Amino acid sequence: MEVQTMQDKAIVAPESHRISKRLVTGFGFGLILVLILAVYSYFSFKMVVVSGESMLPTFTSGTRLLVGNAYWLVGPVKDKDIVVIKDNNPTGYIIKRVYKSAGEVVDWYNVPKNWSLEQGEYKVPADHVYVLGDNRAVSEDSRFFGAVESSRILGKVVLRK
């Protein structure tokens, strides 16, 4: 007489049980993926509201903008991009257009107000951008406060609503 042990016997689950286990595993993976994307989007994209007239006619006060700092997705900040910059006020920000990037020369008409002709041409310092508002007559921009450190850029405008 032969004695069988549990090691000799394979326990086979019914086919319906295996399918439902795959569905649960797939659903769990999908849920985790959606959660990761939601967290990533939360930190990579922000909604801001335009306040003031410095970006007229491009944006009117009250316009909502989606700003992204996922540069691998939206591309690096370059000349003519519209960016949102962290203001000195902890909860504030300013919206301006990148006029010149690091190493580029700013024309005499747009140099900082405290820059004199005797100092020669104005070059944007490394790791900085020079920003201007589209409505130059009312915009307080790099002509008043100088070039902005790139680390202060919260992101670039990717969508207007």
Side-chain angles (χ1 to χ4, degrees), residues 14-26:
E15 185 65 25
S16 62
H17 180 70
R18 281 187 265 167
I19 292 172
S20 64
K21 189 173 181 179
R22 280 188 217 135
L23 285 174
V24 169
T25 305

Side-chain angles (χ1 to χ4, degrees), residues 13-57:
E15 185 65 25
S16 62
H17 180 70
R18 281 187 265 167
I19 292 172
S20 64
K21 189 173 181 179
R22 280 188 217 135
L23 285 174
V24 169
T25 305
F27 178 75
F29 177 74
L31 186 61
I32 289 171
L33 185 61
V34 167
L35 208 79
I36 289 170
L37 287 173
V39 169
Y40 180 76
S41 295
Y42 176 78
F43 288 107
S44 297
F45 296 95
K46 301 274 187 240
M47 186 70 72
V48 298
V49 179
V50 176
S51 177
E53 299 178 345
S54 73
M55 287 303 290
L56 283 173

Side-chain angles (χ1 to χ4, degrees), residues 38-129:
V39 169
Y40 180 76
S41 295
Y42 176 78
F43 288 107
S44 297
F45 296 95
K46 301 274 187 240
M47 186 70 72
V48 298
V49 179
V50 176
S51 177
E53 299 178 345
S54 73
M55 287 303 290
L56 283 173
T58 308
F59 302 128
T60 58
S61 195
T63 303
R64 293 177 9 191
L65 306 172
L66 181 65
V67 178
N69 65 6
Y71 298 120
W72 64 271
L73 181 63
V74 298
V77 174
K78 59 189 180 312
D79 293 359
K80 299 183 182 172
D81 282 343
I82 299 173
V83 294
V84 177
I85 301 164
K86 188 182 340 175
D87 196 3
N88 293 334
N89 178 352
T91 59
Y93 54 86
I94 58 174
I95 302 167
K96 302 292 178 200
R97 187 177 300 275
V98 175
Y99 181 64
K100 298 288 182 182
S101 299
E104 295 181 319
V105 176
V106 176
D107 60 87
W108 289 109
Y109 181 71
N110 289 307
V111 296
K113 299 294 182 195
N114 62 356
W115 192 262
S116 72
L117 293 173
E118 297 158 354
Q119 293 174 279
E121 63 186 14
Y122 180 85
K123 269 191 183 173
V124 180
D127 297 321
H128 285 69
V129 291

